[in-house]
Amino acid sequence: MPSVMLPKAALPTLKTPKGLIPTVQEPSKRDVIIFSDFDGTIFMQDTGHILFDHHGCGVTKRQELDEEIKTGARSFRAVSEDMWGSLNVRFEDGFEVMKEKLEIDPDFDEFHKYCISNGIPFNVISAGLKPILRRVLDVFIGETQSAHIEIVANDAKISPDGTEWKPIWRHDNELGHDKAASIQEYKTIASSESEDGSIPLIVFVGDGVSDLPAAREADVLFARRGLRLEEYCIENKISYIPFDTFADIQKDLVRLIQEDQESTKGAGKPAQYNPRANFWRRASSKKAVPTLGSIQASNTLSTGKKLHHTEPVFTPQPTLVS
């Protein structure tokens, strides 16, 4: 398995201890690498919005600021600085409301254990603040398991008394964190192929339009059902697989890995291959309960999923079939 060659300050090397969790599936020869959005994807709510609504500008003002982003009146970075700047709460106190209000995807914990046991790196790419995202993962899935997830996000300066919350942006532009630019940074220093010459399968999971710059570059795209990313894929004829929970993703991923093994024996290009995913390949080449406050039975979700496929917007585009 190839080693990771990433900027130490940006992406520490992923380490997956063997034997931590019993293997549930024979590993495929092909490397699989997963990149995922955080807010609205792993968690149902937006971590920042919860803080702003309860300890900052409030719901009404936050919605007004959100509208400025949607209409293009002001940049994401400028509006976000206003939102974070409105906070006046100690980090620990602010985290209490997140523990109460946040809901994690009910099947994410099991899915991530599946990734660990099968040597599949799982990486978070987010426009949020890394200290918050790391703390949320530490609490909801435990520090040991959280340590297996690499987070690429903005840093932050938070004063001890909570009077200052200042994002430290990854990029000096209107986005603050340009996900595509992050990948370009890694592109020049990491290998694009596995040591045996096979090409990793790149998977992206998301929910919103902001995920599109990254989602277009994946071999396989999972879009949360009923949200804007799915709508955008339909409108723009982009191939994707809808999901309700990460259990759906696990089921489809197992199927895709098996189909790839049967058709390629894990060698060369994956059966679902998108040449635009190459910069993701360069970025990385290594290999529950929904709330803390209550235990609620999950609703039974439909299991018979088909890929929603339309004519691709680039060539070649992976044709995913059930």
Side-chain angles (χ1 to χ4, degrees):
M1 183 179 294
S3 60
V4 168
M5 299 175 62
L6 302 176
K8 292 182 180 179
L11 278 179
T13 301
L14 282 168
K15 296 180 180 179
T16 305
K18 296 181 178 179
L20 179 63
I21 299 175
T23 300
V24 297
Q25 170 185 317
E26 284 297 317
S28 170
K29 180 180 179 181
R30 169 132 13 238
D31 290 340
V32 177
I33 303 168
I34 299 176
F35 295 88
S36 176
D37 179 45
F38 192 87
D39 296 313
T41 300
I42 298 175
F43 285 82
M44 302 299 101
Q45 299 81 15
D46 186 292
T47 49
H49 287 182
I50 290 176
L51 283 174
F52 307 146
D53 292 352
H54 291 83
H55 295 291
C57 56
V59 177
T60 301
K61 182 61 176 178
R62 191 262 300 166
Q63 290 174 340
E64 292 175 358
L65 292 170
D66 272 338
E67 193 63 25
E68 292 184 9
I69 297 175
K70 294 176 183 177
T71 61
R74 289 202 298 156
S75 70
F76 174 86
R77 175 170 173 167
V79 172
S80 294
E81 287 182 344
D82 282 355
M83 289 181 178
W84 291 112
S86 74
L87 292 176
N88 186 2
V89 61
R90 293 175 60 252
F91 182 85
E92 292 299 325
D93 295 336
F95 191 73
E96 289 303 310
V97 72
M98 286 191 281
K99 286 196 294 185
E100 177 186 350
K101 300 296 183 181
L102 278 176
E103 295 176 284
I104 191 170
D105 181 290
D107 296 309
F108 177 77
D109 181 71
E110 282 303 313
F111 174 79
H112 187 238
K113 288 177 181 177
Y114 160 82
C115 291
I116 295 174
S117 66
N118 286 282
I120 300 174
F122 186 95
N123 308 276
V124 164
I125 301 266
S126 173
L129 303 187
K130 186 174 181 178
I132 294 175
L133 307 188
R134 176 61 70 194
R135 181 62 181 278
V136 168
L137 287 173
D138 286 349
V139 169
F140 276 79
I141 66 174
E143 293 183 15
T144 299
Q145 192 169 327
S146 170
H148 290 282
I149 299 177
E150 188 50 55
I151 299 175
V152 187
N154 302 299
D155 212 325
K157 177 183 177 182
I158 304 171
S159 63
D161 64 359
T163 58
E164 180 184 32
W165 290 65
K166 182 177 178 59
I168 300 175
W169 302 106
R170 287 183 56 82
H171 301 116
D172 186 18
N173 57 29
E174 292 188 346
L175 294 173
H177 179 196
D178 184 337
K179 295 180 183 180
S182 282
I183 302 304
Q184 291 296 333
E185 292 166 8
Y186 312 145
K187 186 175 181 179
T188 60
I189 60 173
S191 172
S192 64
E193 292 188 354
S194 299
E195 291 176 349
D196 62 1
S198 64
I199 297 176
L201 179 74
I202 305 301
V203 176
F204 188 85
V205 186
D207 72 294
V209 175
S210 63
D211 297 321
L212 256 293
R216 286 179 179 274
E217 314 303 327
D219 295 313
V220 178
L221 168 61
F222 287 96
R224 188 172 283 284
R225 192 188 302 277
L227 298 183
R228 188 65 186 114
L229 178 57
E230 181 181 43
E231 294 175 356
Y232 190 95
C233 288
I234 294 172
E235 293 167 1
N236 292 273
K237 298 179 169 54
I238 298 172
S239 297
Y240 74 103
I241 300 176
F243 75 96
D244 292 304
T245 77
F246 273 81
D248 304 328
I249 297 175
Q250 181 172 334
K251 182 190 69 174
D252 281 311
L253 187 59
V254 169
R255 173 180 59 79
L256 291 168
I257 291 173
Q258 291 174 342
E259 290 175 357
D260 177 75
Q261 188 67 23
E262 291 171 1
S263 62
T264 71
K265 301 297 186 288
K269 298 177 181 178
Q272 311 297 339
Y273 176 69
N274 173 7
R276 289 180 59 165
N278 282 338
F279 74 70
W280 287 105
R281 286 181 247 275
R282 294 184 179 96
S284 175
S285 55
K286 285 185 77 173
K287 293 197 165 191
V289 287
T291 65
L292 294 180
S294 65
I295 300 176
Q296 298 177 342
S298 299
N299 292 329
T300 301
L301 301 174
S302 59
T303 56
K305 292 201 185 39
K306 285 188 176 180
L307 169 74
H308 290 224
H309 176 73
T310 51
E311 289 303 311
V313 293
F314 54 83
T315 303
Q317 163 76 8
T319 301
L320 310 180
V321 295
S322 297

